[in-house]
Amino acid sequence: GNSVTQMEGPVTLSEEAFLTINCTYTATGYPSLFWYVQYPGEGLQLLLKATKADDKGSNKGFEATYRKETTSFHLEKGSVQVSDSAVYFCALSVRGNQFYFGTGTSLTVIP
Amino acid sequence: DAGVIQSPRHEVTEMGQEVTLRCKPISGHDYLFWYRQTMMRGLELLIYFNNNVPIDDSGMPEDRFSAKMPNASFSTLKIQPSEPRDSAVYFCASSPPRLGDTEAFFGQGTRLTVV
């Protein structure tokens, strides 16, 4: 079946620290992969995506590379800011099917 | 584009009352999803539609929940009768055709409190 597993939170980092949030997946077919971000009191917003193997999605300093050999799509940022504090969701979608979301990882960045 | 519009943003109701949540998807999107988010269970897919037809409602928790999409620009999620354990944030999302290549666009959510 289709599923996403992401690292448990919460994660607390100091400003300018390096961020990694791990995400692995299982999928029937050839999925597209996504990272969404949810700020307090808001809906989920797309952060970045990748639609085929070895693609790198990037946005706002965040990056993730679609690794088919390890079935992974880890989220990274070189230097986090207080404004990055949010909940991050990894997700996949297979053509013609629904979206599958991970459980979310809460990130808090302290000054 | 105004994005996905949900109403109301907040709803407080008494146990046993009927609750109706509303969603207007982005024009041209032919997939519509209803999700429920709680601290305990995270983000759960309740039901999704394609071209106004329900495709998968296996996530609907019980018969008290029902969803309709009478046309391409409107959907409702109804809970009758409501119970305190239904308290959650309910999100509607829509997606363009060629699902799988494009992302889902989420509304701001409806925070439901059943007392």
Side-chain angles (χ1 to χ4, degrees):
Chain A
N2 300 310
S3 68
V4 172
T5 303
Q6 62 180 105
M7 67 183 278
E8 296 281 335
V11 174
T12 302
L13 295 174
S14 296
E15 204 165 23
E16 299 184 2
F18 184 85
L19 169 70
T20 299
I21 301 178
N22 290 337
C23 172
T24 58
Y25 68 89
T26 59
T28 57
Y30 206 62
S32 293
L33 302 173
F34 308 87
W35 277 101
Y36 282 81
V37 59
Q38 184 181 30
Y39 299 103
E42 298 186 11
L44 280 71
Q45 306 171 25
L46 180 71
L47 180 59
L48 53 84
K49 69 179 180 183
T51 59
K52 61 182 186 295
D54 300 324
D55 269 1
K56 177 185 284 187
S58 61
N59 186 26
K60 301 181 181 180
F62 291 88
E63 293 182 341
T65 301
Y66 188 142
R67 300 286 189 200
K68 186 179 179 184
E69 64 276 12
T70 55
T71 62
S72 65
F73 192 55
H74 304 321
L75 182 68
E76 296 182 336
K77 186 174 185 182
S79 176
V80 293
Q81 305 300 312
V82 172
S83 57
D84 294 327
S85 298
V87 180
Y88 293 83
F89 292 88
C90 185
L92 71 82
S93 181
V94 179
R95 182 187 291 273
N97 208 327
Q98 59 177 283
F99 290 83
Y100 296 84
F101 285 86
T103 53
T105 301
S106 175
L107 170 67
T108 301
V109 180
I110 55 177
Chain B
D1 194 331
V4 176
I5 300 173
Q6 292 186 245
S7 64
R9 288 294 309 276
H10 302 274
E11 176 80 36
V12 180
T13 191
E14 292 185 348
M15 182 174 62
Q17 296 298 305
E18 177 180 297
V19 176
T20 299
L21 311 182
R22 297 173 175 78
C23 175
K24 177 179 168 53
I26 294 172
S27 177
H29 286 192
D30 59 1
Y31 285 89
L32 185 139
F33 307 85
W34 281 102
Y35 290 90
R36 178 172 68 176
Q37 186 177 38
T38 60
M39 289 293 292
M40 291 295 293
R41 303 166 84 105
L43 193 65
E44 304 173 275
L45 176 67
L46 300 177
I47 184 171
Y48 78 99
F49 296 83
N50 179 222
N51 291 321
N52 313 337
V53 175
I55 302 301
D56 185 351
D57 65 353
S58 60
M60 297 287 262
E62 48 197 278
D63 292 345
R64 297 185 298 106
F65 286 69
S66 62
K68 294 182 179 179
M69 192 165 186
N71 57 62
S73 59
F74 184 67
S75 177
T76 59
L77 178 67
K78 185 177 294 185
I79 308 173
Q80 165 65 14
S82 57
E83 297 182 2
R85 60 193 168 116
D86 301 330
S87 297
V89 181
Y90 291 81
F91 288 104
C92 175
S94 69
S95 182
R98 294 176 55 81
L99 180 68
D101 291 343
T102 58
E103 65 269 26
F105 294 76
F106 281 76
Q108 296 279 62
T110 295
R111 181 173 295 277
L112 173 65
T113 303
V114 183
V115 298

